Amino acid sequence: MKEKNALVTGANKGIGFGIAKHLGLSGWKVIIGARNRERAEKAIGELASAGVDAMGWIHIELTDHDSLEQAAREVGERFQGLSLLVNNAGIPGDMSVDSLNTKIGDIRETIEVNFIGTFALTKALLPLLERNNGRIVNITVPTEISPYWHPLAYVASKAAQNAMMGVMATEFEQNNTPVEIFSVHPGPTTTDLNGNMALPGFHDIETVGRKTAELINDGQNHQGEFIELYPIVKEN
């Protein structure tokens, strides 16, 4: 049986850690994408204690495109069987302000990480994923604006990422590229990105990680789809 290698960015904590854990428990060999060696190695130890085969870690700095090219080369050398990229890493931007009080620099930085950096990494890894008939899964939020939660910098960066997914999916189909790409919205989840918010309707990292792994493993083609694990329920 072909070895299943998955790179999960931002997998040293939060939703990324949960996804890496449950992919590992379902038979994937996981690679941790992280910015910090100490935190990555700590996560690898925790995953090993949970019975997950973590193959190692790759330095991923989404604001440094040269380092992303280097990361892609390293993945190609060390993990030639890579067939799954989970684009999970990102920053929240300033979620405490409304749109008119959002600083231009905050918008620029958030888009640079969540969209441009994610695109650059995906582009750099695409030749390897194509050779392995791979898949790309983006962890994102809806482009449709929620009246309950809509920080401009973050939502704008994810809207751009959603557009990237849709365009790539269309082109993969038109060009018969053997790569699948789709997006997953975990729904409200308690993580440090939102200050560990735990309101009614929120889910924990374990639940979201398990559901995401189940989706990835369901054997279905999800090319170009935007899938909500736990849709935001509108208030009456």
Side-chain angles (χ1 to χ4, degrees):
M1 182 179 294
K2 185 178 179 181
E3 187 176 88
K4 300 191 299 183
N5 296 172
L7 170 61
V8 183
T9 67
N12 57 287
K13 62 178 182 177
I15 290 174
F17 180 86
I19 293 171
K21 176 181 175 181
H22 286 280
L23 283 175
L25 292 174
S26 65
W28 289 85
K29 294 181 180 298
V30 297
I31 307 150
I32 304 301
R35 291 189 296 174
N36 178 278
R37 175 182 293 276
E38 183 178 351
R39 290 195 290 268
E41 291 179 345
K42 180 175 183 291
I44 288 171
E46 292 172 352
L47 290 170
S49 297
V52 172
D53 186 355
M55 301 173 72
W57 79 286
I58 294 288
H59 179 254
I60 301 292
E61 177 54 74
L62 291 174
T63 59
D64 184 345
H65 297 174
D66 289 339
S67 81
L68 295 178
E69 292 287 345
Q70 173 57 37
R73 286 193 292 271
E74 186 177 347
V75 171
E77 293 167 0
R78 295 174 57 193
F79 310 110
Q80 295 183 12
L82 183 77
S83 58
L84 175 63
L85 168 63
V86 180
N87 284 316
N88 165 78
I91 60 174
D94 187 350
M95 293 187 170
S96 68
V97 296
D98 62 18
S99 60
L100 295 181
N101 290 302
T102 301
K103 296 179 180 178
I104 297 297
D106 185 48
I107 294 175
R108 182 178 292 115
E109 179 185 17
T110 308
I111 289 176
E112 176 66 37
V113 172
N114 295 355
F115 169 52
I116 299 175
T118 296
F119 170 71
L121 178 62
T122 301
K123 182 179 178 181
L125 287 171
L126 193 57
L128 179 58
L129 291 166
E130 186 173 351
R131 286 201 299 273
N132 293 323
N133 296 295
R135 304 172 95 193
I136 302 160
V137 179
N138 293 338
I139 306 302
T140 183
V141 300
T143 300
E144 179 183 355
I145 305 303
S146 164
Y148 315 114
W149 183 84
H150 43 255
L152 179 60
Y154 186 76
V155 172
S157 70
K158 290 297 188 175
Q161 193 181 100
N162 293 341
M164 177 194 90
M165 182 278 293
V167 170
M168 283 187 167
T170 298
E171 292 176 344
F172 290 163
E173 289 188 330
Q174 290 174 341
N175 299 325
N176 295 315
T177 303
V179 178
E180 181 185 339
I181 184 170
F182 62 96
S183 294
V184 175
H185 173 220
T189 308
T190 301
T191 72
D192 62 357
L193 184 142
N194 55 30
N196 293 306
M197 188 180 296
L199 298 174
F202 274 60
H203 296 87
D204 59 26
I205 289 164
E206 278 289 308
T207 301
V208 167
R210 183 177 65 254
K211 289 276 286 187
T212 304
E214 289 172 356
L215 175 64
I216 290 169
N217 292 324
D218 70 4
Q220 303 298 310
N221 186 311
H222 296 292
Q223 185 76 281
E225 293 182 9
F226 181 93
I227 300 168
E228 294 192 86
L229 298 183
Y230 295 102
I232 297 173
V233 178
K234 294 183 178 181
E235 298 175 358
N236 294 324

